[in-house]
Amino acid sequence: TGDAYYNSTDNQLKIYDGSALSPVSGGGGTVELTASGNIPNGATVIINTDGTVGVITQTTSTDPSVGSAVVFESAAVYRPSATFDSSNNKVVIAYRDQGNSNYGTAIVGTVSGSSISFGSPVVFLSSHTQSISATFDSTNNKVVISYRNEGNSSYGQSIVGTVSGTSISFGSLETFETDSTSYVSSAFDSSNGKVVVAYRDQGNSNYGTAVVGTVSGTSISFGTPVVFESATVSGISVTFDSSNNKIVISYCDEGNSEYGTAIVGTVSGTSISFGTAVVFESGASLRTSATFDSTNNKVVIGYKGQGNYGKGIVGTVSGTSISFGSAATFESANSDGISAVYDSTNQKVVIAYVDKGNSDQGTAVVGTVSGTSISFGSPVIFETGETEQHSAAFDSSNGKVVLAYEDITNSQYGTALVFGSTSTVTNLTAENFIGFSDAAYTNGQTAKIQIVSSVDDAQTGLTTGSKFYVQNDGTLGITTDDPVVLAGTALSGTEISIKN
């Protein structure tokens, strides 16, 4: 080893004779540089632009993050519906593929950092498919897709999907309504292990109706449909309150001046019963999207309210009823394509929507529940082109929301991206990691840093023979972060051979 310093002119470490210190030629050595801040023994270390060294830090910002948009279907799609398979840690998006005879199609997405990649599309119904809704049955680890089959008298049907790797396979379809249906929405009741499908029964005066489904293997069977609103309904959305073990359905009650309305359902066996409907918006509410905040045990409904403004409201379930706080406006302009989801990692509600007051751009807003109220941050544009029909799903393994939508500007292609309710800032880059601290140092001390081809022996919990990567918070992990920075290979539970 020898004395080393940082040359800011060419951004290189230099040894005493002025030559560049390369990772290969510096094999097995150390460098001594001035510590910026306190550095623990065995810490991952970066070199700063002023030639000092310091630990890797990561801070959290309340500003949301937006990943790059990825096309999952290079054809026009209609009303994508996304759900998260928590058994396989995959996102599944179901949609109508207008480039393939309007067939019902599904695709599996894998989130990594702030990006998402997809397998190949799989057809689940070789017929014109409408009003698609996907949910995940966590009891049986199956995806259930419900829809209207236009090729079979517009009957309401469902099908069970099994994710394997980056693909999905399907069992046989089952009919839940032998008449024309629309506004299909579904959710999973984890307390009873049942899927609940709500819809408009067009064969019964457009009444709001719900039915309970039971998954067995790759099939699903249904109980008897139950009317929850004896009037024409639209804008139906279903969520499950896991605190009270109740189903909550929000909808537009066209039989009551299009008021925004919600009702609580109780599943028992293969049936469901309902309490009394409660109005949450005494004005036209043409779109609703309900989600459950499992931290505060509240239902949150995003909707298109009076003046067509985007609004959110908090509901509290008690017994078979629900009460509401005051509505909060998240967009003072015409809002459409609303989809709400709860980010349990960051304890935030995310609502995606079409901002029709801003060239129909894809927009999202983050909401925070407090008591019976919700407050919203500033809207974030995630797609500068025109969008339609958003669907949001929360990937709990990665702590990210996935937004699926129709990219109207790009030929209505099916598109998705990763959205973070918060964002993280790290001082780690793809180039500035240099090694591990050989001891503990305080600010201003000369710190000895073990570099490439050295062995650091101050680690814990390593898996012998595994490659480890530097994470954005300075820890080591066997999976890559963004940026991808290789730390080295574990020689034992406490030793790592440093590589670049």
Side-chain angles (χ1 to χ4, degrees), residues 156 188 276 348 381 407 423 451:
F188 181 67
T276 302
K348 302 291 183 181
I381 296 171
D407 187 349
S423 58
I451 59 174

Side-chain angles (χ1 to χ4, degrees), residues 91-289:
V91 173
V92 176
I93 303 174
Y95 57 98
R96 186 179 85 186
D97 184 356
Q98 295 182 196
N100 186 27
S101 304
N102 292 306
Y103 286 177
T105 307
I107 195 164
V108 176
T110 305
V111 172
S112 177
S114 59
S115 63
I116 186 168
S117 58
F118 290 96
S120 299
V122 177
V123 172
F124 63 81
L125 181 67
S126 298
S127 178
H128 190 135
T129 312
Q130 285 271 33
S131 199
I132 297 171
S133 176
T135 192
F136 180 67
D137 177 339
S138 57
T139 298
N140 295 285
N141 293 327
K142 301 293 182 181
V143 173
V144 177
I145 301 174
S146 302
Y147 53 89
R148 181 174 80 184
N149 186 350
E150 298 247 336
N152 185 24
S153 303
S154 296
Y155 283 5
Q157 297 179 330
S158 296
I159 196 165
V160 175
T162 305
V163 172
S164 177
T166 60
S167 189
I168 186 169
S169 58
F170 292 96
S172 55
L173 61 84
E174 182 68 27
T175 299
F176 61 79
E177 180 57 68
T178 54
D179 218 319
S180 181
T181 60
S182 58
Y183 294 100
V184 176
S185 180
S186 60
F188 181 67
D189 177 338
S190 57
S191 68
N192 291 286
K194 303 292 183 179
V195 173
V196 175
V197 183
Y199 55 98
R200 181 163 81 178
D201 185 352
Q202 296 179 197
N204 185 28
S205 304
N206 294 317
Y207 284 1
T209 308
V211 66
V212 176
T214 305
V215 171
S216 177
T218 59
S219 300
I220 187 169
S221 58
F222 289 97
T224 303
V226 176
V227 172
F228 64 82
E229 181 60 70
S230 298
T232 297
V233 299
S234 59
I236 298 170
S237 181
V238 187
T239 193
F240 176 63
D241 178 336
S242 58
S243 173
N244 294 285
N245 293 327
K246 299 293 182 180
I247 288 290
V248 176
I249 304 175
S250 63
Y251 56 98
C252 169
D253 184 355
E254 296 187 16
N256 185 29
S257 305
E258 298 184 330
Y259 283 3
T261 308
I263 196 165
V264 175
T266 305
V267 172
S268 178
T270 59
S271 188
I272 186 169
S273 58
F274 291 97
T276 302
V278 177
V279 171
F280 62 81
E281 173 85 1
S282 298
S285 305
L286 303 180
R287 302 284 185 271
T288 78
S289 180

Side-chain angles (χ1 to χ4, degrees), residues 53 56 69 132 168 184 186-187 218 237 243 286 293 295 300 306 345 369 396 403 412 434:
V53 289
I56 296 169
I132 297 171
I168 186 169
V184 176
S186 60
T218 59
S237 181
S243 173
L286 303 180
D293 177 336
T295 301
V300 177
Q306 296 185 59
T345 298
V369 171
S396 56
L403 302 179
Q412 205 178 330
I434 61 169

